Amino acid sequence: MSKYALYPGCSMETGGIEYAISSDAIAEALGIDFLEVPDWNCCGASSAHMTDHLLSLALPARIMALAETLPVTEIVAPCAACHARMAAVEYELGRDNDLKQKVNSLLERPYTGKVKLKYYIDVFSNPDTLSQIEKSVKKPLEGLKVACYYGCLFVKPPKMVNFIDDPENPQSMDNIIRALGAEPIPWPYKTECCGASLGVTDEDLCNKLCNDILRFARDAGADCISAACPLCQANLDMRQVTVEKKYGISYRMPIPFFTQLIGLALGINPNSLGMKKLFVDPARMLKKLGVA
Amino acid sequence: MGEVNLSQVMDRNRSFVDRIIEESGQDIRQCYQCAKCTGGCPGAVHMDYPPNQIIRMLMLGMKEEVLKSKTIWVCMGCNTCTTRCIRDIEVAGVMDILRQKAIKAGYIEHAKGVISFNDSFLWTVRSFGRLFEPGMAIINNVRLGNFMKDMQFGLPLMLKGKASMLPHRLKGRREMANIFKKTVQGGK
Ligand code: SF4
Ligand code: SF4
């Protein structure tokens, strides 16, 4: 049984709640143990990052130090922004001992670096789990064309985020989708930024970036875009109506999390995967799969 | 950009450029001006100077122009430039330092929305330990004097059961307060 420390992050309790629900459901089905980091705090995201360098490291370092109290060797963060902040801790404190001491002087429990950060998709795409998923598929997602969307912060820059895949044309999620019996389509916007961080400041640009992603996915023949980050997902899902209005195009493109697609293929009831929480109704897609 | 006397500017702002190099750990003098960073930049269309030009302007010591630019606030930190740079320069890391420097120098003409958002965000993190979106939205809207901002999203989120109604309180609140006190002087 594989065991990981889990840092849910703030958005898993709100906007990305279906990511949490579906992750839990498939983890149970696959015998993966996620141990939640006790008393975790917000990683500070880009706000701390823009405000103060030390603050932006101390917040995620506290989380990683608390993970060291758990019987695990690896920690995962399903949100790409949180992942990137924890990757910065590993990268920067790993090569600068003075900085590490400075950060640790702010913490009650020091960060040692004992628990390593793992890329969330890899919890499911590593060879062992992937073959287990393949064997556990009860309802193959036959005929479903999926545009795998990795977003930017999980994959770039690879040397800083522990990314084990190709940052321009990654395959880890594609391999999962293939194992589920669906078809991962080739498309050019797999790792393009959706501009979620601009939602509050430059909505015009944010809408344009979302529109580009939706348009490329549709033109490549996708039935849905599979997401791996709650911020990207919320941006593409919730903002879609606004984008459609602005550009006069109707996409109605469902944006499920890849964990929801795994759950469907494992035969888990759509309601237990939070499918109803999606803004763009996935009914057509579910009908195609014969599960609704 | 207007006319600039390069040798004068370079002399005057040499220490600024050196500090950027030191603090970002990036030797921007290695830049070839190949513009690959700009080619892949999703924000370039909304910037006043594309990323490769910012790097060039830094090399020329054009401090004011860079810190006052719209570019550093359009940049969303997607790291595409850093990933693709043929000279291994962390362009996105340079943008981070420039934003921090611009705030410290008071060049915030293009950044009011971002700063208000960051302050409201961090206020909830300092107070509760985790992000509390309704609290953040209210503070942010008061700061910006725009009470209806983002209401298009607030209601749908609530209807989907995706909004937190009460803040979570951390056990490590004292530790969190201390982190903020020692880094950003009590937070903002
Ligand atoms: S990609 Fe690198 S070398 Fe090329 S212009 Fe940008 S910073 Fe300079
Ligand atoms: S990090 Fe900023 S400058 Fe670099 S590619 Fe992304 S938006 Fe452009």
Side-chain angles (χ1 to χ4, degrees), chain A residues 50 197-198 200-203 205, chain B residues 46-49 54 57 63-76 98-99 102-103 105-118 144 149:
Chain A
M50 273 190 225
S197 71
L198 289 171
V200 281
T201 52
D202 190 343
E203 255 198 285
L205 181 54
Chain B
H46 275 212
M47 292 172 174
D48 39 7
Y49 312 108
I54 292 283
M57 288 158 76
K63 178 180 170 183
E64 314 278 303
E65 286 85 348
V66 169
L67 292 184
K68 282 183 185 160
S69 73
K70 203 175 148 199
T71 298
I72 57 176
W73 301 107
V74 173
C75 166
M76 50 214 111
L98 292 174
R99 279 189 284 268
I103 293 176
Y107 294 134
I108 49 170
E109 189 201 332
H110 299 297
K112 291 206 180 85
V114 187
I115 293 171
S116 157
F117 175 84
N118 288 347
L144 292 174
K149 195 174 178 307

Coordinates of all heavy atoms in Angstrom, one line a residue, chain A residues 50 197-198 200-203 205, chain B residues 46-49 54 57 63-76 98-99 102-103 105-118 144 149:
Chain A
M50 N 4.9 37.5 -3.9 CA 5.1 38.9 -4.4 C 5.5 39.9 -3.3 O 6.0 40.9 -3.5 CB 3.9 39.4 -5.1 CG 3.7 39.0 -6.5 SD 2.4 39.9 -7.2 CE 1.6 38.6 -8.1
S197 N -4.2 33.5 -12.2 CA -3.7 34.5 -11.3 C -4.1 35.9 -11.7 O -4.0 36.8 -10.9 CB -2.2 34.4 -11.0 OG -1.5 34.8 -12.2
L198 N -4.5 36.0 -13.0 CA -4.8 37.4 -13.5 C -6.3 37.7 -13.3 O -6.7 38.8 -13.5 CB -4.6 37.4 -15.0 CG -3.1 37.5 -15.4 CD1 -3.1 37.3 -16.9 CD2 -2.5 38.8 -15.0
V200 N -8.1 38.5 -11.0 CA -8.5 39.6 -10.3 C -8.0 40.9 -10.9 O -8.5 42.0 -10.5 CB -8.0 39.5 -8.8 CG1 -8.9 38.7 -8.0 CG2 -6.6 39.1 -8.8
T201 N -7.0 40.9 -11.7 CA -6.3 42.1 -12.1 C -6.5 42.4 -13.6 O -6.6 43.5 -14.0 CB -4.8 42.1 -11.8 OG1 -4.3 40.9 -12.3 CG2 -4.7 42.1 -10.3
D202 N -6.4 41.4 -14.4 CA -6.4 41.6 -15.9 C -7.4 40.6 -16.5 O -7.0 39.6 -17.1 CB -5.0 41.5 -16.5 CG -5.0 42.0 -17.9 OD1 -6.0 42.1 -18.6 OD2 -3.9 42.3 -18.5
E203 N -8.7 40.9 -16.3 CA -9.7 39.9 -16.7 C -9.7 39.7 -18.2 O -9.9 38.6 -18.7 CB -11.0 40.4 -16.3 CG -11.5 39.6 -15.1 CD -13.0 39.7 -15.0 OE1 -13.4 40.8 -14.5 OE2 -13.8 38.8 -15.3
L205 N -7.2 39.7 -20.3 CA -6.1 38.7 -20.7 C -6.5 37.3 -20.3 O -6.3 36.4 -21.0 CB -4.8 39.2 -20.2 CG -3.5 38.3 -20.5 CD1 -3.4 38.2 -22.0 CD2 -2.3 38.9 -19.9
Chain B
H46 N -0.1 41.8 -23.7 CA -0.6 42.9 -22.9 C 0.5 43.7 -22.2 O 0.2 44.6 -21.4 CB -1.6 42.4 -21.8 CG -3.0 42.2 -22.3 ND1 -4.1 42.4 -21.5 CD2 -3.5 42.0 -23.5 CE1 -5.2 42.2 -22.2 NE2 -4.8 41.9 -23.4
M47 N 1.7 43.4 -22.5 CA 2.9 44.1 -21.9 C 3.3 45.3 -22.6 O 3.1 45.4 -23.9 CB 4.0 43.1 -21.8 CG 3.8 41.9 -20.8 SD 5.1 40.7 -20.9 CE 4.6 39.6 -19.6
D48 N 3.9 46.3 -21.9 CA 4.4 47.4 -22.7 C 5.8 47.1 -23.2 O 6.2 47.6 -24.3 CB 4.4 48.7 -21.8 CG 4.8 48.5 -20.4 OD1 5.2 47.4 -20.0 OD2 4.7 49.5 -19.6
Y49 N 6.6 46.3 -22.5 CA 7.9 45.8 -23.0 C 7.9 44.3 -22.9 O 7.6 43.8 -21.8 CB 9.1 46.4 -22.3 CG 9.0 47.9 -22.0 CD1 8.8 48.4 -20.8 CD2 9.3 48.7 -23.1 CE1 8.8 49.7 -20.5 CE2 9.2 50.1 -22.9 CZ 9.0 50.6 -21.6 OH 8.9 51.9 -21.4
I54 N 12.8 43.7 -21.3 CA 13.0 44.0 -19.9 C 14.5 43.6 -19.5 O 15.2 44.3 -18.9 CB 12.0 43.2 -19.0 CG1 10.6 43.8 -19.3 CG2 12.4 43.3 -17.5 CD1 10.3 45.2 -18.6
M57 N 16.8 46.0 -21.0 CA 16.8 47.3 -20.3 C 17.5 47.2 -19.0 O 18.1 48.2 -18.6 CB 15.3 47.7 -20.2 CG 14.6 48.2 -21.5 SD 12.8 48.0 -21.4 CE 12.4 49.5 -20.4
K63 N 16.5 51.6 -14.8 CA 15.8 51.2 -13.6 C 14.4 51.7 -13.6 O 13.4 51.0 -13.4 CB 16.6 51.8 -12.4 CG 15.9 51.6 -11.1 CD 16.8 52.2 -10.0 CE 16.0 52.2 -8.7 NZ 16.8 52.9 -7.6
E64 N 14.2 53.0 -13.8 CA 12.9 53.6 -13.7 C 11.9 53.0 -14.6 O 10.8 52.6 -14.3 CB 12.9 55.1 -14.0 CG 14.0 55.9 -13.3 CD 13.7 56.2 -11.9 OE1 12.7 56.9 -11.7 OE2 14.4 55.8 -10.9
E65 N 12.3 52.9 -15.9 CA 11.5 52.4 -16.9 C 11.0 51.0 -16.6 O 9.8 50.6 -16.8 CB 12.2 52.4 -18.3 CG 12.3 53.7 -18.9 CD 13.6 54.5 -18.4 OE1 14.2 54.0 -17.4 OE2 14.0 55.5 -19.1
V66 N 11.9 50.2 -16.1 CA 11.6 48.8 -15.8 C 10.6 48.7 -14.6 O 9.6 48.0 -14.7 CB 12.9 47.9 -15.5 CG1 12.5 46.6 -15.0 CG2 13.7 47.8 -16.8
L67 N 11.0 49.4 -13.6 CA 10.1 49.3 -12.4 C 8.7 49.9 -12.6 O 7.8 49.6 -11.9 CB 10.8 50.0 -11.2 CG 12.1 49.3 -10.6 CD1 12.6 50.0 -9.4 CD2 11.8 47.8 -10.3
K68 N 8.7 50.9 -13.5 CA 7.4 51.5 -13.8 C 6.6 50.8 -14.8 O 5.5 51.2 -15.2 CB 7.6 53.0 -14.2 CG 7.9 53.9 -13.1 CD 8.0 55.3 -13.7 CE 8.4 56.3 -12.6 NZ 9.0 57.5 -13.2
S69 N 7.2 49.7 -15.4 CA 6.5 49.1 -16.5 C 5.3 48.3 -16.1 O 5.1 47.9 -15.0 CB 7.5 48.1 -17.2 OG 7.6 47.0 -16.4
K70 N 4.4 48.2 -17.1 CA 3.2 47.4 -16.9 C 3.6 45.9 -16.9 O 2.9 45.1 -16.3 CB 2.3 47.7 -18.1 CG 0.8 47.4 -17.9 CD 0.0 47.9 -19.1 CE -1.2 47.0 -19.2 NZ -1.8 47.1 -20.5
T71 N 4.6 45.6 -17.7 CA 5.0 44.2 -17.9 C 5.1 43.4 -16.6 O 4.6 42.3 -16.5 CB 6.4 44.2 -18.6 OG1 6.3 44.8 -19.8 CG2 6.9 42.8 -18.7
I72 N 5.8 44.0 -15.6 CA 6.0 43.1 -14.4 C 4.7 42.8 -13.7 O 4.7 41.8 -12.9 CB 7.0 43.8 -13.4 CG1 6.5 45.2 -13.0 CG2 8.4 43.9 -14.1 CD1 7.5 45.9 -12.0
W73 N 3.6 43.5 -13.9 CA 2.3 43.2 -13.3 C 1.5 42.4 -14.2 O 0.5 41.8 -13.8 CB 1.6 44.5 -12.9 CG 2.5 45.2 -11.9 CD1 3.2 46.4 -12.2 CD2 2.8 44.8 -10.6 NE1 4.0 46.7 -11.1 CE2 3.8 45.8 -10.1 CE3 2.5 43.7 -9.8 CZ2 4.3 45.7 -8.8 CZ3 3.0 43.7 -8.5 CH2 3.9 44.6 -8.0
V74 N 1.8 42.3 -15.5 CA 1.0 41.5 -16.4 C 1.6 40.0 -16.3 O 0.9 39.0 -16.4 CB 1.1 41.9 -17.9 CG1 0.5 40.9 -18.8 CG2 0.5 43.3 -18.0
C75 N 2.9 39.9 -16.0 CA 3.5 38.6 -15.9 C 2.8 37.8 -14.8 O 2.6 38.3 -13.7 CB 5.0 38.8 -15.5 SG 5.7 37.3 -14.9
M76 N 2.4 36.6 -15.2 CA 1.7 35.8 -14.2 C 2.5 34.6 -13.6 O 2.0 33.7 -13.1 CB 0.4 35.2 -14.9 CG 0.6 34.6 -16.2 SD -0.8 34.9 -17.4 CE 0.0 36.0 -18.6
L98 N 11.8 42.1 -9.4 CA 11.3 43.4 -9.9 C 10.0 43.9 -9.3 O 9.9 45.0 -8.9 CB 11.2 43.4 -11.5 CG 12.6 43.2 -12.2 CD1 12.3 43.1 -13.7 CD2 13.5 44.4 -11.9
R99 N 9.1 42.9 -9.1 CA 7.8 43.3 -8.5 C 8.1 43.7 -7.0 O 7.5 44.7 -6.6 CB 6.9 42.1 -8.5 CG 6.1 41.9 -9.8 CD 5.0 40.9 -9.7 NE 5.6 39.5 -9.7 CZ 5.8 38.8 -10.8 NH1 5.4 39.3 -12.0 NH2 6.3 37.6 -10.8
A102 N 9.6 47.1 -7.1 CA 8.7 48.2 -7.5 C 7.8 48.6 -6.4 O 7.5 49.8 -6.1 CB 7.9 47.7 -8.7
I103 N 7.3 47.6 -5.6 CA 6.4 47.9 -4.5 C 7.2 48.7 -3.4 O 6.7 49.7 -3.0 CB 5.9 46.6 -3.8 CG1 5.0 45.8 -4.8 CG2 5.2 46.9 -2.5 CD1 4.5 44.5 -4.2
A105 N 9.7 50.6 -3.9 CA 10.1 51.9 -4.4 C 8.8 52.8 -4.7 O 8.9 53.9 -5.0 CB 10.9 51.8 -5.7
G106 N 7.6 52.2 -4.4 CA 6.4 52.9 -4.6 C 5.9 53.1 -6.0 O 5.0 53.9 -6.2
Y107 N 6.4 52.3 -6.9 CA 6.0 52.4 -8.3 C 4.8 51.4 -8.5 O 4.9 50.3 -9.0 CB 7.1 52.0 -9.3 CG 8.2 53.0 -9.3 CD1 9.5 52.5 -9.3 CD2 8.0 54.3 -9.4 CE1 10.6 53.3 -9.3 CE2 9.1 55.2 -9.4 CZ 10.4 54.7 -9.4 OH 11.4 55.6 -9.4
I108 N 3.6 51.9 -8.1 CA 2.5 50.9 -8.1 C 1.3 51.3 -9.0 O 0.2 50.8 -8.8 CB 2.0 50.7 -6.7 CG1 1.7 52.0 -6.0 CG2 3.0 49.9 -5.9 CD1 1.0 51.9 -4.7
E109 N 1.6 52.2 -9.9 CA 0.6 52.7 -10.8 C -0.2 51.6 -11.5 O -1.4 51.6 -11.5 CB 1.2 53.6 -11.9 CG 0.2 54.4 -12.7 CD 0.8 54.8 -14.0 OE1 2.1 55.0 -14.0 OE2 0.1 54.9 -15.0
H110 N 0.5 50.5 -11.9 CA -0.1 49.4 -12.6 C -0.5 48.3 -11.7 O -0.9 47.2 -12.1 CB 0.8 48.9 -13.7 CG 1.1 49.8 -14.7 ND1 0.2 50.4 -15.6 CD2 2.3 50.4 -15.1 CE1 0.8 51.3 -16.4 NE2 2.1 51.3 -16.1
A111 N -0.3 48.5 -10.4 CA -0.3 47.3 -9.5 C -1.3 47.4 -8.4 O -1.4 46.6 -7.5 CB 1.1 47.1 -8.9
K112 N -2.2 48.5 -8.4 CA -3.1 48.7 -7.2 C -3.9 47.5 -7.0 O -4.1 47.0 -5.8 CB -3.9 49.9 -7.5 CG -3.1 51.2 -7.4 CD -3.9 52.4 -7.0 CE -3.0 53.6 -7.0 NZ -2.8 54.3 -8.3
G113 N -4.5 46.9 -8.0 CA -5.4 45.7 -7.9 C -4.6 44.6 -7.3 O -5.1 43.9 -6.4
V114 N -3.4 44.3 -7.8 CA -2.6 43.2 -7.3 C -2.3 43.4 -5.8 O -2.4 42.4 -5.0 CB -1.3 43.1 -8.1 CG1 -0.6 41.8 -7.7 CG2 -1.6 43.1 -9.6
I115 N -1.8 44.6 -5.5 CA -1.4 44.8 -4.1 C -2.6 44.7 -3.1 O -2.4 44.0 -2.1 CB -0.7 46.2 -4.0 CG1 0.6 46.1 -4.8 CG2 -0.4 46.5 -2.5 CD1 1.3 47.4 -5.0
S116 N -3.7 45.2 -3.5 CA -4.8 45.1 -2.7 C -5.3 43.7 -2.5 O -5.6 43.2 -1.4 CB -6.0 46.0 -3.3 OG -7.2 45.5 -2.8
F117 N -5.2 42.9 -3.6 CA -5.6 41.5 -3.5 C -4.6 40.8 -2.6 O -5.0 40.0 -1.7 CB -5.6 40.9 -4.9 CG -5.8 39.4 -4.9 CD1 -7.1 38.9 -4.9 CD2 -4.7 38.5 -4.9 CE1 -7.3 37.5 -4.9 CE2 -4.9 37.1 -4.9 CZ -6.2 36.6 -4.9
N118 N -3.3 41.0 -2.8 CA -2.3 40.3 -2.0 C -2.5 40.6 -0.5 O -2.4 39.8 0.4 CB -0.9 40.7 -2.4 CG -0.5 40.1 -3.8 OD1 -1.2 39.2 -4.3 ND2 0.6 40.6 -4.3
L144 N -10.8 48.5 -2.6 CA -10.9 49.0 -4.0 C -12.1 49.9 -4.2 O -12.3 50.4 -5.3 CB -10.9 47.8 -5.0 CG -9.7 47.0 -5.1 CD1 -9.9 45.8 -6.0 CD2 -8.5 47.8 -5.6
K149 N -17.5 43.7 -6.9 CA -16.5 43.0 -7.7 C -16.6 41.5 -7.4 O -16.7 41.0 -6.3 CB -15.1 43.5 -7.3 CG -14.1 43.1 -8.2 CD -12.7 43.7 -7.9 CE -11.7 43.3 -8.9 NZ -11.6 41.8 -9.0

